[in-house]
């Protein structure tokens, strides 16, 4: 939500933006990995065998995604340089394949799709036309349908009839804003940034949208959190 605004204003190359994007990538991935461990513990599978299996599967997953796939992508783009439509189909195939191997590795499919973007990042940055098409389709098709799917889950009546959801939303909002401000404050002090850079970090990291919805939806579908938490998260985003 906030990154395109910063990009349009021409400050996307500011070190504060790079710090925020990197921190967001790390925290979102870590949360989803923790979810995999929590789901295993809830299902009664959290033991040494589960940890070893998860560790090996994640290692194989990372090996395929960050070593094998980039080599295949470079070969594909160099051999079929003029086939622009094939490039887009290839990227979609990598996304779906990554989501699939993430799922069989014991992770959430969204981690695979997310990691696919990281593995293809350098290659796609050299093809701005393809990158523009991916952003356009993602912003105009995939994200709206994802939001529609989430919207159909939300129980609006429970928000009005049950003050518990509003209570949860108030706590989530206060904690989210306070902790993001503290993170921006400590980042400013550690990296010796200016006050405007601290405010930029705070503004970028405070806006919760698709990533927050994706993470909270994983927890809801896994029956770890209730509908009240999901409703409260929607209010937090608003």
């Amino acid at each position: 939500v906030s990154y395109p605004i910063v990009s349009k204003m021409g400050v996307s190359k500011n070190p504060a933006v790079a710090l925020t994007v990197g921190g967001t990538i790390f925290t979102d991935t870590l949360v989803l990995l923790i979810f995999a461990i929590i789901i295993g513990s809830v299902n009664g599978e959290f033991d040494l065998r589960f940890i070893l299996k998860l560790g090996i599967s994640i290692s194989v997953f990372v090996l395929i995604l960050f070593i094998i796939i980039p080599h295949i992508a470079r070969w594909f783009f160099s051999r079929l340089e003029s086939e622009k439509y094939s490039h887009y189909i290839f990227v979609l195939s990598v996304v779906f394949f990554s989501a699939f191997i993430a799922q069989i590795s014991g992770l959430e499919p969204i981690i695979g799709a997310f990691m696919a973007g990281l593995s293809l990042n350098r290659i796609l940055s050299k093809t701005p036309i393809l990158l523009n098409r991916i952003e356009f389709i993602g912003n105009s098709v995939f994200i709206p349908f994802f939001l529609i799917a989430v919207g159909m889950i939300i129980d609006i009546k429970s928000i009005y009839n049950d003050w518990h959801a509003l209570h949860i939303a108030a706590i989530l909002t206060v904690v989210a804003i306070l902790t993001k401000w503290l993170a921006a404050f400590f980042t400013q002090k550690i990296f010796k940034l200016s006050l405007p850079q601290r405010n930029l970090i705070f503004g970028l990291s405070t806006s919760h949208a698709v990533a927050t919805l994706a993470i909270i939806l994983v927890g809801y579908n896994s029956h770890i959190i209730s509908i009240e938490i999901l409703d409260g998260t929607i209010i937090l985003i608003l």
Side-chain angles (χ1 to χ4, degrees):
V1 173
S2 53
Y3 184 81
I5 299 172
V6 171
S7 181
K8 289 179 181 178
M9 295 180 70
V11 293
S12 59
K13 294 184 179 179
N14 191 286
V17 177
L19 285 169
T20 310
V21 171
T24 302
I25 291 171
F26 177 78
T27 53
D28 287 352
T29 306
L30 187 62
V31 165
L32 288 167
L33 288 174
I34 293 172
F35 257 132
I37 297 173
I38 293 174
I39 292 169
S41 63
V42 169
N43 295 331
E45 301 174 355
F46 188 67
D47 51 15
L48 183 59
R49 181 183 176 185
F50 172 80
I51 295 173
L52 289 174
K53 181 182 176 182
L54 185 63
I56 294 171
S57 59
I58 289 175
S59 300
V60 174
F61 170 68
V62 171
L63 176 68
I64 294 173
L65 213 58
F66 289 98
I67 296 179
I68 297 176
I69 295 253
H71 281 293
I72 296 174
R74 280 191 288 268
W75 175 85
F76 185 87
F77 287 154
S78 63
R79 288 297 182 93
L80 299 173
E81 188 174 356
S82 61
E83 300 291 334
K84 302 302 180 183
Y85 294 106
S86 298
H87 291 179
Y88 189 81
I89 294 172
F90 175 80
V91 172
L92 279 183
S93 301
V94 170
V95 170
F96 294 137
F97 175 72
S98 301
F100 170 71
I101 60 174
Q103 188 172 25
I104 63 176
S105 299
L107 305 173
E108 291 299 323
I110 190 174
I111 294 182
F114 183 71
M115 292 298 184
L118 293 180
S119 67
L120 296 175
N121 187 19
R122 289 186 177 181
I123 300 172
L124 294 179
S125 62
K126 299 176 182 178
T127 55
I129 296 177
L130 176 60
L131 189 61
N132 182 266
R133 288 172 180 169
I134 292 170
E135 290 179 354
F136 175 78
I137 296 297
N139 292 331
S140 60
V141 178
F142 289 114
I143 293 178
F145 273 96
F146 171 72
L147 296 175
I148 290 170
V150 174
M152 290 189 293
I153 297 174
I154 304 302
D155 186 6
I156 298 178
K157 290 183 179 180
S158 67
I159 298 176
Y160 292 105
N161 298 331
D162 187 6
W163 286 97
H164 187 54
L166 294 175
H167 183 232
I168 292 172
I171 295 174
L172 286 175
T173 303
V174 171
V175 172
I177 293 175
L178 178 61
T179 52
K180 292 296 185 182
W181 186 88
L182 288 173
F185 175 78
F186 286 117
T187 303
Q188 177 203 7
K189 296 301 181 183
I190 293 171
F191 292 95
K192 299 179 180 179
L193 303 175
S194 63
L195 181 60
Q197 286 177 313
R198 185 188 75 188
N199 294 335
L200 180 60
I201 293 172
F202 177 64
L204 274 171
S205 60
T206 307
S207 55
H208 302 270
V210 178
T212 304
L213 274 176
I215 292 171
I216 209 71
L217 197 60
V218 169
Y220 178 75
N221 290 333
S222 303
H223 307 291
I224 296 174
I225 62 172
S226 62
I227 187 66
E228 290 81 11
I229 301 289
L230 182 62
D231 293 342
T233 305
I234 299 299
I235 296 174
L236 162 66
I237 291 170
L238 293 175

